[in-house]
Amino acid sequence: MGKFPEGINSPIQYGASIKAHAVYLSQYQLLPYKRIEEYFADQLNIPLSAGSLFNFNQ
């Protein structure tokens, strides 16, 4: 089993642009978390949970 590269500490890690996109949709466009989850899954093929969205907004 290989090691994660340095700075990667979990199987899925989101970059700054994904986080910014999610926060923009949540805080500026005022979309509910469920709709943002569906958008990322359907349009971008990126799994995102409500917990991740909450953390991004913090």
Side-chain angles (χ1 to χ4, degrees):
M1 180 180 255
K3 294 181 182 179
F4 282 123
E6 190 170 325
I8 306 295
N9 52 20
S10 63
I12 296 178
Q13 192 155 357
Y14 303 105
S17 61
I18 294 294
K19 291 178 182 179
H21 192 161
V23 170
Y24 166 79
L25 293 173
S26 173
Q27 299 301 308
Y28 187 75
Q29 295 297 328
L30 303 175
L31 296 177
Y33 285 177
K34 186 65 177 171
R35 187 172 295 175
I36 297 170
E37 288 178 52
E38 291 171 355
Y39 165 75
F40 273 88
D42 296 344
Q43 300 297 317
L44 304 176
N45 200 29
I46 297 173
L48 211 61
S49 70
S52 291
L53 291 168
F54 176 83
N55 289 333
F56 297 165
N57 283 316
Q58 297 303 307

